[in-house]
Amino acid sequence: MNILEELRSRFREPLSQWVDDPEPYLAMVRRAQDVRFGDVQANFAMPLAKRVGQNARELATEIVASLDVSDLCEEPEVAGPGFINLRLRTDWLEQATASLVTDERLGHVAVSTARNYVVDYSAPNVAKPMHVGHLRSTVIGDSLCRLLRFQGHRVIGDNHIGDWGTQFGMLIFGYKHFLDAEAFRREPVQELARLYRLVHQLSSYHDARRELPAQQEQLAQLRKQIEAAEKASDVEPKQRSRTLKKLRKSLEEVAERCRQLEAACAAVESSPELKSLADAYPDIAEQARAETAKLHAGDEENRRLWELFLPSCLDALQRIYDRLGISFDLTLGESFYQPMLEEVVEELQGKGIATESEGAVCVFVEGNEAPLIIRKTDGAFTYATTDLATIKYRREKLKAESILYVVDARQSEHFRLVFEVARRWGFGNIDFRHVRFGTVLGRDGKPFKTRSGDTVGLESLLDEAVARARAIVDENDDAKPDGPELDEATRTAVAEVVGIGGIKYADLKHNRESDYVFDWDKMLAKNGDSATYIQYAYARICGIFRKGGVDREQLRREGGTIRIERPVERALVVQLLQFPEAIDAAAVECRPNFLAQYLFATANRFTAFYDECQILPEQDADRRRGWLLLCDLTARALKLGLELLGISVCERM
Ligand code: ARG
């Protein structure tokens, strides 16, 4: 049972005596932050009183009088200006916990109406560096699929890979001009990555060379303006400092841009080899674009190269997914939708939704200056056209009712427009959601980059996580009072689980919308908000059962009473009973961090309980049995919860 939802629903009737729509007030029934105020607190009396013109405390008292929660709670208490405090009854807690012992879902009840979800996640751009942003999408998206499926929905996880973009023109150009055939034969993906980087570097070099003079000019102008402003004597001091502040800010921005451009130039000019290539191909960017255009127009040679490149690029991605233990139900890349794009544009034009404007086909969306372009002046279709075709396919072929896009927050505008156009087009019955996320930052506060900045870099990042985890596993095992327990193979396996789990958890524990700093030490901290800590709590419980020679299956079968005698027991029980709430909150809001938080708190409650209760030596057989049942429930909650985040556990660590 989702206790919070249950208690909310008990307020619905009493509240509807006062307002037509009680829902916003029901949302103010929450878990209490402090046990002194009970387990659940209703804070709606104050705003409601204001609205209906009554005294809040009296209103709260009246509502409580018609509230029926006696089966779950002690007598409700009205506190302060009108808070309603609810405290779960001990006997109810004991009986509810006992009923979890044989419940595989740990009290969670599946939804009564299952929906068809398509979750669009991971979606790296093939042949282009897969960066940590795609790792974020992959990890969050995977967890959302697991959560929604656990809730009872039908979920299709779809990896909408970018396998048709402009990067292929760059690759094709690189392949035709700079190929190291021997390297390509040996390590195709690495050679393709090299070609991509080379073409990218040369074309950015020319761009930078072109842009630099104007930026330098602007820099000089700003310096002059600042000098003038500093000297100006006829300006009011406040006004002057405002002006100066603005100018200096612009100066800083332009200076930064100049530094970037100069660095891009220096990188090429400092290498005679690169410089001569740059000189030999001054219009490399246009030529690469032309190769893309040829590919899209069906040019045979370019199509052949695309088909040659794709499999090894996909293999490289697959290695990452295997390592992460992540799989998709579908991998329909952008190329899959190409045959449908023409029709999308025709339909939208036919319905008068899209119109021609300066040679391009556009949809104008109110409140938005720039239109959504679905066909460019040169005839090329866009990222947006593909997304619209994808929506139609997902609705008509996959029967999607909800589509979640787990994509970087920087694409918010794109999705806002695409959803709006899709609604006008007739897909208003789909519940669209951009599940946006922030940037992963390095210690310096700038976007985090792996050393080589590509898929290979991402793989070495995972390697590093596992290597660091291995050091922790070794240290921990070596320090065990009765000597090390793990053999070499086990240590290797544990390090993989800890390392990969650490990376995933670090991502999932943050509010996805905020940026976060990538920090190895926090990620693998044995004592702290990390997967490692939760995994160790799990292994510790397994150790108790091993040491006590307890058969968990049998323990569950035989059952027993769980008595609540101490605050640490009550706290753990109340925590365990919140499992369904954590799942539902994480799934409904698409925020796996709610579940991560829950698991961390559960591990903490368990630690407090375990510190105080000597389980195996306990003489009172019933009490010992009750404690063992609590251990079993905790271990199951941790394991299942981590599994829904896509993180594994080990029985021994
Ligand atoms: N490949 C895109 C990128 O890396 C993300 C695709 C997201 N999904 C979508 N349907 N647009 O930016």
Side-chain angles (χ1 to χ4, degrees), residues 189-398:
V189 177
Q190 245 131 317
E191 176 58 7
L192 289 175
R194 186 189 71 84
L195 291 173
Y196 174 82
R197 276 201 298 268
L198 180 60
V199 175
H200 182 70
Q201 188 177 26
L202 295 176
S203 68
S204 327
Y205 167 75
H206 290 298
D207 288 346
R209 265 273 151 260
R210 265 191 294 275
E211 188 186 337
L212 195 55
Q215 293 288 346
Q216 281 166 336
E217 171 60 25
Q218 208 189 339
L219 196 64
Q221 288 292 342
L222 281 165
R223 286 211 174 102
K224 268 195 211 134
Q225 284 173 12
I226 289 174
E227 214 173 295
E230 277 168 343
K231 283 201 200 114
S233 51
D234 55 340
V235 191
E236 195 226 332
K238 238 198 192 146
Q239 174 65 36
R240 175 169 51 203
S241 84
R242 249 201 311 266
T243 310
L244 274 170
K245 203 168 157 197
K246 244 170 86 192
L247 286 170
R248 290 200 180 112
K249 189 159 173 263
S250 310
L251 182 83
E252 205 19 73
E253 281 163 13
V254 177
E256 172 61 25
R257 183 75 194 138
C258 282
R259 279 195 291 275
Q260 283 170 2
L261 296 173
E262 277 158 6
C265 293
V268 167
E269 282 160 7
S270 64
S271 149
E273 202 185 329
L274 284 175
K275 179 70 171 68
S276 74
L277 282 179
D279 291 342
Y281 299 98
D283 52 357
I284 188 166
E286 293 84 67
Q287 293 198 46
R289 267 198 294 278
E291 296 292 5
T292 308
K294 270 164 76 183
L295 170 69
H296 289 179
D299 176 82
E300 241 172 70
E301 169 68 358
N302 283 9
R303 176 81 196 186
R304 187 186 68 78
L305 290 177
W306 180 77
E307 278 166 11
L308 175 71
F309 301 157
L310 202 59
S312 41
C313 296
L314 294 180
D315 282 351
L317 290 177
Q318 193 54 45
R319 275 208 302 276
I320 305 247
Y321 295 137
D322 288 346
R323 194 84 192 269
L324 292 171
I326 283 175
S327 58
F328 301 90
D329 302 295
L330 281 180
T331 299
L332 298 179
E334 292 177 9
S335 64
F336 176 78
Y337 300 97
Q338 293 317 300
M340 311 168 201
L341 301 184
E342 187 80 53
E343 200 186 301
V344 170
V345 175
E346 272 168 22
E347 263 189 51
L348 287 171
Q349 276 186 302
K351 291 196 166 184
I353 298 167
T355 45
E356 252 188 76
S357 162
E358 296 169 35
V361 181
C362 307
V363 184
F364 289 88
V365 175
E366 210 175 318
N368 214 73
E369 256 175 59
L372 188 74
I373 300 176
I374 54 173
R375 176 182 252 153
K376 295 196 265 187
T377 27
D378 64 4
F381 300 109
T382 65
Y383 181 50
T385 330
T386 308
D387 260 330
L388 290 166
T390 308
I391 288 170
K392 185 174 158 85
Y393 181 85
R394 286 174 178 164
R395 177 69 215 173
E396 290 173 358
K397 297 288 187 309
L398 307 180

Side-chain angles (χ1 to χ4, degrees), residues 120 123-125 134 160 162 334 383 387 405 407 411 414-415:
D120 179 316
N125 299 317
H134 292 119
H160 187 77
E334 292 177 9
Y383 181 50
D387 260 330
Y405 295 82
V407 185
Q411 296 192 26
H414 165 78
F415 285 112

